[in-house]
Structures are given as structure tokens and as C-alpha cells.
Amino acid sequence: MEKVIEFLRSKKSFQKPDTRSERDNSEEFFKKEISEEDREIFDENWDELEKDKFLKIKTCKKFGQKISVEDAFRLINKWGGIPSFKVENNRGKVIKFISKLETQDLTITTDEFSTISSLSKIAFFFDVGKYCIYDSRAIYCLNWALLKYGSDGQKFFPNPNGRNKTVVKYPMAGLLNFIFWEDTDSKYYKVEEAYEKYNDLMKDISCQIFGENAYPFEAERLLFGLVEVVKKDMAESVKILISNF
């Protein structure tokens, strides 16, 4: 992982607050979530990364590992910018996922993984020191770093469906399928374990790049901002040769 860490550290300046919703102001959303005491501490003169970190940590503190179903949908729909994650379709799934968080058993089913980008937002605010968001853009950039700079034994992470244009137009899964066409499945973590492995790796990367007290989301926040960097790196690194047959 040393070369992966070296690559990500060299791109440290690309870390940015990950405003997920295009319609809602992320900072204003969080200001309404935190306590009055924390709002008084909040300093408008902090840089954007400091503000983002403070607001996320304090929002997590507010919930205190007790997130209601209503709060879960509000976080997903309003801050996460996924209004299509409907209560009537996913209420049972959310209740079950919150129960898993409370019992610390996050073995993910295939059905849960189909909406892991949404469900992991609940986990993130349940315990920001342990979990981060399994975002398609972050996974996309992480898999590229693992492919180009990782060791042969390092597995890749299954990528959930995403809406980012680069992720959709230049699918990493297609590239990996071409490279490992004989046994692609064995190169990925299983769905059941992928989220847990991802959180552990984000914690490790964060500590190595941002210091021993860093939060897992700091590495995820860096990966989130690297989509265009990865796109350019792929264009410069990948050459496809089609021979006559």
C-alpha cells in the first residue's frame, strides 16, 4: 500500500468538502443540526475543510449513536441529495440497517449493498470515527489507485451505481474485467465484507496522510475530489490495442 499512500498524499491538495446535494447548502444544513453551543463555537473564518470537518463531527455527536428512521431518511434525502430513496420502499431496510449499527454487525446483504451509498450515510453519522460513506466516486478513484499503485494481492472494491458523468462514461469495472478477464470475481471483495474493509482502509489511509487522529472520512473526502484527476491519469496510462483476427 505504500505506493497507493504516496500517490494519494501527492494529491492531498485536492481534498475538498463533499457537498453531495446540488440543491441544498451543505454548511447550512449542518448548522441546523448541531447544538446551539456548537453553533457559537463555529467560526466563519475557518477554511472550508475545517468547517466541513467540525460540522460533520458535531452532527454525529448530536445523534450519539441513536438515529431514528425519520432522521435517517432526512440525512439521505436532504443532505445526501437522494430524494429517490423513498420511505415507502426502504423503511424496512433502514430499520434493519440501524439495528445492525446498534449491534455492531455490519455484514452487508446483496439487497443492502444495492443501496449502500444511501445506507452508509446513516452509518457515517452514527459513528463518524468508525464509518464513512461508500460513495461511487470515492470507490472509483480508490480502485484506480489500487490498480496502478497497489500490490498484486490487494483486492478491489465493488462499485455501487453512481450518477457522476465520469464514473458512468468511463466505468472502472469494464477496465478491470478486461485486465482480469479469466477470474475477475476473485479480484474483488465480496459484497458482504466490502463496506467493513473499506472503512478499515479509509481509517488507515487517513491516519497515514492526515495524522494519527484523523477520521476515516478525511481519506474518503480526498478520494471524492479526485475523479477528474483519475480520469486524466487513466487517459495517459491506458492504451488499448485491437488486433485483426
Side-chain angles (χ1 to χ4, degrees), residues 46-112:
W46 290 342
D47 67 33
E48 295 305 308
L49 291 175
E50 287 180 292
K51 291 179 181 179
D52 183 68
K53 183 175 180 178
F54 177 87
L55 292 170
K56 286 176 176 175
I57 293 170
K58 295 304 181 181
T59 299
C60 176
K61 173 188 171 184
K62 168 204 166 182
F63 289 120
Q65 300 188 355
K66 291 292 181 183
I67 294 181
S68 69
V69 176
E70 290 71 26
D71 282 333
F73 276 101
R74 186 165 49 79
L75 289 167
I76 293 169
N77 296 154
K78 295 294 291 181
W79 176 69
I82 311 179
S84 60
F85 192 80
K86 301 295 186 182
V87 176
E88 58 268 26
N89 298 332
N90 296 295
R91 187 177 183 85
K93 185 186 291 189
V94 167
I95 291 173
K96 183 179 178 181
F97 190 77
I98 291 174
S99 177
K100 285 187 173 185
L101 287 169
E102 292 173 345
T103 58
Q104 300 184 41
D105 175 19
L106 270 193
T107 302
I108 304 298
T109 66
T110 301
D111 182 47
E112 288 168 338

Side-chain angles (χ1 to χ4, degrees), residues 4-181:
V4 173
I5 299 295
E6 183 180 336
F7 166 72
L8 293 177
R9 185 179 286 117
S10 72
K11 307 299 180 185
K12 187 176 177 180
S13 62
F14 285 87
Q15 190 192 31
K16 64 178 182 179
D18 45 275
T19 304
R20 312 232 172 211
S21 174
E22 296 178 356
R23 294 168 304 189
D24 299 314
N25 184 295
S26 186
E27 183 177 312
E28 292 305 314
F29 177 89
F30 286 127
K31 282 181 181 178
K32 296 175 183 177
E33 297 293 318
I34 62 177
S35 68
E36 182 63 36
E37 179 183 358
D38 287 332
R39 279 195 288 272
E40 291 177 1
I41 296 173
F42 183 82
D43 190 340
E44 295 290 350
N45 293 318
W46 290 342
D47 67 33
E48 295 305 308
L49 291 175
E50 287 180 292
K51 291 179 181 179
D52 183 68
K53 183 175 180 178
F54 177 87
L55 292 170
K56 286 176 176 175
I57 293 170
K58 295 304 181 181
T59 299
C60 176
K61 173 188 171 184
K62 168 204 166 182
F63 289 120
Q65 300 188 355
K66 291 292 181 183
I67 294 181
S68 69
V69 176
E70 290 71 26
D71 282 333
F73 276 101
R74 186 165 49 79
L75 289 167
I76 293 169
N77 296 154
K78 295 294 291 181
W79 176 69
I82 311 179
S84 60
F85 192 80
K86 301 295 186 182
V87 176
E88 58 268 26
N89 298 332
N90 296 295
R91 187 177 183 85
K93 185 186 291 189
V94 167
I95 291 173
K96 183 179 178 181
F97 190 77
I98 291 174
S99 177
K100 285 187 173 185
L101 287 169
E102 292 173 345
T103 58
Q104 300 184 41
D105 175 19
L106 270 193
T107 302
I108 304 298
T109 66
T110 301
D111 182 47
E112 288 168 338
F113 191 80
S114 69
T115 53
I116 192 62
S117 293
S118 297
L119 293 176
S120 60
K121 291 176 176 63
I122 305 172
F124 177 62
F125 289 106
F126 185 87
D127 188 348
V128 74
K130 185 175 182 179
Y131 304 115
C132 55
I133 298 169
Y134 199 95
D135 183 270
S136 62
R137 285 155 289 193
I139 298 298
Y140 183 85
C141 295
L142 175 60
N143 279 342
W144 172 252
L146 293 174
L147 174 63
K148 187 171 182 181
Y149 304 102
S151 62
D152 291 338
Q154 176 64 54
K155 291 188 176 183
F156 302 100
F157 291 85
N159 205 331
N161 294 328
R163 295 171 295 172
N164 179 269
K165 292 180 181 179
T166 296
V167 174
V168 173
K169 190 173 182 179
Y170 305 98
M172 187 68 62
L175 176 61
L176 294 175
N177 286 340
F178 272 116
I179 296 173
F180 304 111
W181 64 276

